[in-house]
Amino acid sequence: MLQVYLVRHGETEWNAARRIQGQSDSALTAKGELQARQVAQRARSLGITHVVTSDLGRTRRTAEIIADACGCPVILEPRLRELHMGVLEEREIDSLTAEEETWRKQMVDGTPDGRIPQGESMTELGARMHEALNSLLELPAGSVPLVVSHGIALGCLLGTIIGLPPYAERRLRLRNCSISRVDHQQSPWLAPGWIVESAGDVSHLDLPALDELQR
């Protein structure tokens, strides 16, 4: 059985400002750096052997802090990037027009073919996230990888593992530096392959963490 830990990056300046990031980037806040150090301390007890991260700056910084604590290398994996939010990237949520807010809501409300103009669909996101996850099966036996990615991307991955379509309504909250775990296994009482062991654990954080929309 392969156990894979999934971590959302630490809080960023744009998270705090309610600004849409997508595949654009902003630096971790002081709180985000603290969250990364706290999740790193938790990771030290998990026997992590590899830290695999989205190549965006906020995830790379979070991954570097975790990898340093665990004494293992950082592997960049572009397929772990956040959903591309097209023309809405870098916009403040409160500045969106009614039409633009409709585009944004299609990413979370179950619209099958939802797509922000010049952006990516949830189906495309789900496909590349599963490709990245399945590539971890090629790691040496006994590996315990930790993946650092993004809120919408990880939520899509977890939802599709339990059988939801990638565009399903979002009902799983993954706060900054939350930890989830998925296992690849064979069980007489579970479907073969990937299963969700846990999702969205923030018990290692001292202070409340934000979700994608600060709700």
Side-chain angles (χ1 to χ4, degrees):
M1 180 176 73
L2 177 66
Q3 296 179 349
V4 180
Y5 291 90
L6 308 173
V7 173
R8 186 185 170 209
H9 62 80
E11 179 188 278
T12 70
E13 293 174 357
W14 288 6
N15 288 148
R18 290 173 53 81
R19 192 171 176 182
I20 296 170
Q21 294 180 114
Q23 293 187 10
S24 302
D25 223 343
S26 67
L28 298 187
T29 62
K31 182 177 178 182
E33 293 269 343
L34 173 61
Q35 291 168 337
R37 292 194 297 271
Q38 289 176 336
V39 78
Q41 289 304 306
R42 173 80 175 274
R44 288 182 65 181
S45 68
L46 301 176
I48 301 302
T49 58
H50 302 75
V51 175
V52 185
T53 181
S54 155
D55 61 348
L56 299 179
R58 58 194 187 268
T59 40
R60 290 181 65 168
R61 176 57 182 156
T62 303
E64 289 166 358
I65 293 171
I66 297 170
D68 183 62
C70 295
C72 59
V74 172
I75 301 169
L76 300 182
E77 174 50 87
R79 290 175 293 189
L80 294 172
R81 286 185 176 190
E82 181 60 294
L83 175 76
H84 196 296
M85 303 287 278
V87 299
L88 298 188
E89 295 209 359
E90 305 185 20
R91 294 284 302 281
E92 293 184 358
I93 292 174
D94 295 339
S95 75
L96 301 183
T97 67
E99 181 181 31
E100 290 169 340
E101 176 64 4
T102 298
W103 297 340
R104 187 191 67 80
K105 290 290 287 184
Q106 288 180 351
M107 301 296 98
V108 300
D109 67 3
T111 301
D113 299 317
R115 184 193 300 268
I116 296 168
Q118 300 179 29
E120 184 179 24
S121 72
M122 295 297 289
T123 299
E124 291 166 338
L125 171 64
R128 63 175 169 82
M129 288 295 291
H130 274 271
E131 288 175 359
L133 180 63
N134 287 331
S135 72
L136 300 180
L137 296 171
E138 300 173 7
L139 292 173
S143 296
V144 183
L146 182 147
V147 166
V148 184
S149 187
H150 307 264
I152 295 176
L154 290 173
C156 180
L157 179 64
L158 291 168
T160 50
I161 286 174
I162 63 173
L164 296 174
Y167 52 82
E169 291 180 320
R170 295 193 65 220
R171 299 190 181 277
L172 179 62
R173 190 185 302 279
L174 299 176
R175 296 185 180 275
N176 289 122
C177 276
S178 60
I179 299 177
S180 305
R181 197 184 101 191
V182 296
D183 298 344
H184 193 273
Q185 50 76 64
Q186 299 289 330
S187 167
W189 296 107
L190 293 169
W194 294 107
I195 58 99
V196 176
E197 175 68 22
S198 61
D201 179 12
V202 291
S203 61
H204 50 284
L205 301 181
D206 291 338
L207 299 172
L210 303 177
D211 68 5
E212 293 80 6
L213 303 180
Q214 280 189 285
R215 294 291 189 256

